[in-house]
Amino acid sequence: MSFSVLVWKELRELLAEKTILIGILLMPLILFPLLGLTMVAGFSSAGRAQQVFEAAVLDRDDGWASRELLETLKRAGVRLKPTPSGGDLNEILEGLDSRLLIIIPEGFSQNITNYRQASIQLYYRLERLSISELQGLSNFQALVSYSSTIFGERLASGEGIDVRFYKSPFTASEFIVYQGQVLGGVSTTVFQPVLYLSLTIPIGIFIIAVTAGSVSATSVALEKEAKTLEILLTLPIHRLKLLASKLLSSIVLAALGGASFMIGFLIYFQGIMSMIRQPPVEGVQTGAEMLSTFYSLSGPVLLLLGLIVIISLALTLSIGILAGVVAGDVRGGQQLASLLLSLLFLPPFMLQLLGGLSTLDPTLLTIMMLNPVTHVFLALESATASDIPAALTHILVTLAYLVLLLGVAAWIFSGERLISLRVRLGRRGILETVRGSGK
Amino acid sequence: MAAAVEVDGVWKFFGERAALKGVSFRVSPGEVFGLIGPNGAGKTTCFRILATILRPSRGGAKIFGFDVVRDAQEVRSLISYLPEEAGVYRSLSGVDYIRFLARIYNRDEVEALHEAEEVSGLGDALRSRMGSYSLGMRRRILLAGALIARPKVAILDEPTSGLDVMHAVYVRDVIKKYSRQGMTFLISSHNMLEVEYLCDRIAIIDEGVIIAEGQPKYLKESAGAENLEELFLSLKRGAQ
């Protein structure tokens, strides 16, 4: 009876905290779909920049080769608009209603006729320094380079030479072997979604975990700061029940946060999948196919992912609770929780980005394996790769750490340390233990 | 008959500093006992030990024969504690808080609410969130919470702190009423008039040491003091 009342009280207090509602429940629902939408919008914009090229042309040569070049550009998809030749360059650029200007100088055809390398000038007007603008510029450069190649091939063909043979005497068919599967027709561009997921899952977990830990520390430290803890400790309830009620309510919150995370993540995942369903080149795997090869999100895998998120949140919330317990006030609790969680999360997170555990020497590897969060990341990696036994092993190790952490919490809750032990960040960022009356 | 409260040679250290230096006193059942002294004398530390929040470094304390360290769980079912600077759960209403305590102490919720309304005098404000309460209202709801628990020993650290005269008088009357029903009170206060009015016996504590103990009237007479403030000052001068 008293336990359910305590949990009810804890949940009421926790859910009344706006920071908890926003940080744990709303942020994943907003963060992931927002990431997905931004990515889709960014790529659509870059795609549009790639598709529509309208260029003004100032052909000062007006010879056979310049006409041939313009014909090649047209075939490559550039819409050409002749521009009056009068005035200097600044006047031409000012009067330009197109963002691209191609100037073919006099003597272009003469140079080509004499087998001398000719040149043209390209002007690209940037509206702003955005990724899609720069991507558009890059795409146009690639198109002109491609047109130059085609133009060269046509010239060579007129001389009866197959220049493509000399440029590429052999071709290579590429295959990737991943977890016993041989994948053919793999385009490096479709690796991008896999990279995005490798980055966004840990980043998302890191943000949510640090927020959750900081918030749970706040909820406990608030009890100290609001001076409600002393009355709570004198109620006829076993101290371990108090701890259990705090943890259970935190875990309920973690489960809600986990569900929110999974919903947000699935919306994000669907966004990415819709973006990459079309193959970039015929016969090559689409991004969606590639993604489903590397990340198999079947029912059991989704369940495992949910479990990992809940356990890691429970771990984070427990660390937060401990930080809140040993801190004297809300600020101290938040500082301590953020410090501890950053120390635990950043090394495996960075390692995930830089090449994994296999790149470490044995000493560093041992240190990393002592960090419970390393096992959270390894469990995630194994689960997304459908390696369920490995994922379960890492989940069990994480659970063992959670039990250990609970033991420490129980030890603190059972004595007077809850009131008398304080840890604060010193001026130089050093942890100081303060023994006092708790006043 | 077992003493309601029995403190026997209690020392309490915080690091190197001794907050209590061999404090001893006994409180009989149904008695209102006052612990008075200047700030930092050790009153709150003593109360916290009796409320099972802190552990004595040396010596021991018992509530109705139960040791505050060894039998902490039993002690908690016999006491209620109102700390001097206690706060409230901001998101809970007064009604929620009283219901919460009624369930913890296995009391009938309606009866407990009725009693809390009477003790606190908060009326309709009981239905508002406690976060919106003034300091005085908070103190009254916390006092109501401490009394609806029907403890055998109520430990009240500055029970009228933050209350206006009207409410302070009202709270003193409530304490008297519960005392007549047999509840034992352990009270600390800076208000010497309040202590004289409420307490059957007092102990004066200074720098962690009990320097006098007895009925206020006899203590004053023995020292030739007109009031407790004079008594305290003469005891201090005597000690120096």
Side-chain angles (χ1 to χ4, degrees), chain B residues 31-199:
Chain B
E31 203 173 20
V32 181
F33 187 87
L35 193 60
I36 60 174
N39 290 336
K43 302 185 297 285
T44 299
T45 302
C46 187
F47 280 7
R48 281 177 167 173
I49 287 172
L50 290 170
T52 73
I53 294 172
L54 295 179
R55 291 178 173 186
S57 308
R58 271 188 238 155
K62 287 178 180 173
I63 303 280
F64 281 100
F66 290 105
D67 188 277
V68 292
V69 177
R70 216 175 35 245
D71 314 311
Q73 196 56 30
E74 284 79 4
V75 168
R76 284 180 207 131
S77 64
L78 296 173
I79 63 155
S80 65
Y81 175 50
L82 176 63
E84 184 184 355
E85 292 170 348
V88 292
Y89 294 108
R90 293 174 303 162
S91 63
L92 300 187
S93 68
V95 169
D96 289 334
Y97 181 61
I98 296 300
R99 281 196 173 134
F100 165 69
L101 290 176
R103 286 185 197 172
I104 297 281
Y105 287 102
N106 291 317
R107 282 208 56 191
D108 179 74
E109 285 182 32
V110 177
E111 197 184 287
L113 271 172
H114 181 71
E115 193 176 332
E117 208 167 333
E118 199 182 309
V119 172
S120 66
L122 284 172
D124 285 343
L126 267 181
R127 275 142 202 91
S128 308
R129 285 186 163 208
M130 293 194 289
S132 65
Y133 285 9
S134 67
L135 196 66
M137 289 163 85
R138 290 179 184 198
R139 203 70 192 150
R140 279 146 63 195
I141 188 70
L142 290 172
L143 178 71
L147 295 178
I148 65 122
R150 297 268 172 89
K152 283 197 159 187
V153 178
I155 304 167
L156 311 178
D157 199 352
E158 299 282 349
T160 56
S161 153
L163 295 182
D164 57 34
V165 177
M166 292 282 287
H167 285 111
V169 170
Y170 180 73
V171 164
R172 280 178 216 135
D173 289 342
V174 168
I175 292 172
K176 277 276 186 198
K177 181 183 146 194
Y178 277 85
S179 163
R180 280 195 294 273
Q181 291 169 7
M183 197 180 282
T184 307
F185 282 90
L186 205 59
I187 287 170
S188 81
S189 178
H190 284 101
N191 185 337
M192 298 298 173
L193 279 173
E194 178 172 288
V195 172
E196 280 199 73
Y197 172 75
L198 274 178
C199 298

Side-chain angles (χ1 to χ4, degrees), chain A residues 5 9 12-13 16-17 222-223 226-228 230-239 416 419 436-437, chain B residues 12 14 48 51-55 73 76 81 83 85-91 96 100 103-105 142:
Chain A
V5 176
K9 190 272 291 175
R12 281 283 300 265
E13 281 286 296
E17 278 292 316
L222 195 66
E223 190 128 40
K227 312 271 184 194
T228 49
E230 286 192 41
I231 291 181
L232 189 69
L233 291 177
T234 56
L235 296 180
I237 300 162
H238 200 281
R239 292 282 171 84
E416 65 177 37
I419 291 287
S437 61
Chain B
K12 180 66 187 174
F14 294 111
R48 281 177 167 173
T52 73
I53 294 172
L54 295 179
R55 291 178 173 186
Q73 196 56 30
R76 284 180 207 131
Y81 175 50
E85 292 170 348
V88 292
Y89 294 108
R90 293 174 303 162
S91 63
D96 289 334
F100 165 69
R103 286 185 197 172
I104 297 281
Y105 287 102
L142 290 172

Side-chain angles (χ1 to χ4, degrees), chain A residues 98-109:
Chain A
S98 168
R99 293 170 64 186
L100 296 165
L101 172 65
I102 302 168
I103 298 180
I104 305 174
E106 278 179 44
F108 178 84
S109 297

Side-chain angles (χ1 to χ4, degrees), chain A residues 28-29 33 258-268:
Chain A
L29 281 175
S260 169
F261 180 95
M262 291 310 290
I263 293 167
F265 174 70
L266 284 174
I267 296 171
Y268 165 73

Side-chain angles (χ1 to χ4, degrees), chain A residues 104-179:
Chain A
I104 305 174
E106 278 179 44
F108 178 84
S109 297
Q110 191 61 49
N111 281 334
I112 298 285
T113 307
N114 295 335
Y115 299 102
R116 283 202 302 266
Q117 201 171 38
S119 70
I120 61 170
Q121 291 153 14
L122 301 175
Y123 294 86
Y124 190 96
R125 196 177 68 225
L126 282 180
E127 300 281 328
R128 59 192 175 279
L129 282 175
S130 71
I131 289 175
S132 67
E133 285 269 321
L134 294 173
Q135 180 74 43
L137 170 62
S138 169
N139 289 341
F140 183 64
Q141 286 170 332
L143 195 70
V144 171
S145 172
Y146 169 74
S147 300
S148 172
T149 305
I150 296 292
F151 185 51
E153 283 172 6
R154 287 177 65 178
L155 289 177
S157 150
E159 302 280 334
I161 300 166
D162 185 2
V163 76
R164 276 179 303 183
F165 170 76
Y166 291 103
K167 285 176 78 178
S168 300
F170 66 90
T171 61
S173 301
E174 294 173 7
F175 299 91
I176 283 178
V177 183
Y178 180 70
Q179 291 190 340

